Amino acid sequence: MSITSTIPLDANGVHHGFLKLPHSRDDSAWGSVMVPITIIANGDGPTALMTGANHGDEYEGPIALQEFAITLKPEDIKGRVIILPMMNMPAFAAGKRCSPIDGANMNRSFPGRPNGTVTQKLCDFIATQLVPKADIVLDFHSGGSTLDFLPFAAAHILEDKSQEAACMAAMQAFNAPYSVRMLEIDNLGMFDTEVENQGKVFVTTELGGAGTSTARTVEIARKGIRNLLIHAGILDGEVETEPTTQLDMPDENCFLFSQMPGLIEYLIELGDQVEIGQPIARIWPADRTGIAPAECCSLRAGILTARHVPGLVKVGDFISLVAEEVC
Ligand code: ZN
């Protein structure tokens, strides 16, 4: 195991430190990748693992978890909270989705390899040393630099129905403005899948995007952390609930992808209702005049839940996610 923790994983109290991964390179021959970690623990009780910046250009998790790491007091909890606000530190430091060191997308690299690349080693440590200690795992995402989402918490459809019910209950406790029963289009190597395969309760989020955070989306993250820890029995108090819209993603017709490059014009906003066959966006040529735009029409009725940013698209880029409201 080449990664070591500078703080104890099992001690009571508050410990701030790093996961230290030796990384010999041109600018630092005996250097290390240092991933910040805080552990707050108080006696017996469940363990929550809370992670941000799995993708390095998603910011609500890092902000809300940084704040939580300096405000949560051990005497306020029973059990333990393990906080990794910048789980994929190399990507976060570069402001990129993927690690600039090995080009890897952390959320496609689980369970990792102890003798692999930097990203694979980090995944291996998290999967073998941290996830097994956890009863509940919350992994913050938002759209990053190329997507924007309605703010939602999500849980997955799982084979083990009692585990699925526990994940759905935790997702409802998070209480984002939207709650999604989520279908993944590409779940191989995801942190989500690794945590679920270990039988844990798992909640993920998509809280916004477009390469930044907003006051509203950070507040959703902050409330979600508290609610989830109360739900898990780690923090005292009442889960604070506001109305949430339940969304379902029944099949792949939820997604649209671009079949031509160009300048994208969205015709509706996130949160708007769309009918089957209705154009969501149209794509103008980016290199000539005199040609009409191509329409991107929804394959189902529902609510526009995610869209592409910024203004240009390539062939194959994601255009839209339309989810169905569940009454
Ligand atoms: Zn993400």
Side-chain angles (χ1 to χ4, degrees):
M1 182 66 57
S2 58
I3 298 182
T4 51
S5 175
T6 67
I7 58 170
L9 301 180
D10 295 307
N12 281 330
V14 179
H15 294 89
H16 304 288
F18 297 93
L19 303 179
K20 179 176 173 293
L21 164 58
H23 176 48
S24 178
R25 55 198 195 267
D26 284 342
D27 70 331
S28 188
W30 286 5
S32 293
V33 169
M34 305 288 273
V35 178
I37 181 171
T38 292
I39 300 183
I40 300 166
N42 184 24
D44 292 337
T47 292
L49 171 61
M50 301 191 150
T51 52
N54 178 331
H55 294 128
D57 59 351
E58 303 172 4
Y59 297 104
E60 287 82 0
I63 294 168
L65 291 173
Q66 279 278 34
E67 182 181 17
F68 202 61
I70 58 167
T71 51
L72 183 66
K73 297 185 174 57
E75 57 268 28
D76 295 337
I77 65 168
K78 287 194 290 285
R80 173 173 52 180
V81 184
I82 303 172
I83 305 169
L84 293 172
M86 289 83 82
M87 173 195 209
N88 188 354
M89 190 61 189
F92 178 79
K96 303 276 192 197
R97 179 175 184 81
C98 299
S99 173
I101 298 174
D102 53 20
N105 178 343
M106 178 174 265
N107 217 27
R108 300 292 182 277
S109 302
F110 279 90
R113 284 172 50 202
N115 58 351
T117 66
V118 164
T119 303
Q120 289 170 332
K121 284 176 177 168
L122 285 172
C123 289
D124 173 71
F125 184 90
I126 292 162
T128 62
Q129 307 302 310
L130 300 183
V131 174
K133 294 180 185 300
D135 300 284
I136 186 164
V137 178
L138 169 63
D139 187 33
F140 277 107
H141 289 260
S142 50
S145 311
T146 66
L147 300 174
D148 198 10
F149 282 90
L150 284 178
F152 68 75
H156 295 116
I157 298 159
L158 300 174
E159 267 175 38
D160 179 337
K161 291 300 163 192
S162 68
Q163 185 188 10
E164 178 185 304
C167 295
M168 295 288 169
M171 178 259 283
Q172 298 295 349
F174 185 98
N175 191 232
Y178 294 84
S179 301
V180 178
R181 191 166 172 267
M182 197 164 188
L183 175 75
E184 292 292 348
I185 43 174
D186 181 21
N187 77 352
L188 199 69
M190 287 179 70
F191 183 45
D192 315 45
T193 310
E194 175 60 27
V195 174
E196 288 158 356
N197 286 346
Q198 292 192 33
K200 312 296 183 177
V201 175
F202 181 78
V203 177
T204 187
T205 72
E206 298 289 0
L207 294 183
T212 189
S213 62
T214 67
R216 176 175 181 241
T217 55
V218 171
E219 184 50 38
I220 293 165
R222 213 177 260 141
K223 187 186 87 175
I225 291 170
R226 280 195 311 270
N227 274 353
L228 206 69
L229 290 182
I230 293 167
H231 173 79
I234 295 172
L235 196 61
D236 263 350
E238 294 284 314
V239 171
E240 188 189 323
T241 24
E242 290 161 47
T244 175
T245 303
Q246 308 289 337
L247 297 176
D248 193 14
M249 293 165 58
D251 58 45
E252 304 221 335
N253 280 345
C254 297
F255 300 96
L256 276 186
F257 297 91
S258 178
Q259 296 189 6
M260 64 172 281
L263 168 63
I264 189 159
E265 175 194 3
Y266 279 88
L267 302 171
I268 59 170
E269 303 292 335
L270 287 175
D272 284 352
Q273 177 74 34
V274 58
E275 299 308 322
I276 188 163
Q278 182 183 332
I280 290 173
R282 48 190 190 166
I283 301 174
W284 292 90
D287 58 355
R288 69 199 61 214
T289 57
I291 294 177
E295 287 190 332
C296 305
C297 297
S298 187
L299 300 174
R300 67 160 52 255
I303 288 174
L304 183 64
T305 304
R307 55 159 280 179
H308 172 89
V309 286
L312 297 179
V313 288
K314 302 180 296 300
V315 173
D317 279 353
F318 166 83
I319 299 282
S320 58
L321 163 60
V322 171
E324 249 177 28
E325 187 168 353
V326 185
C327 299

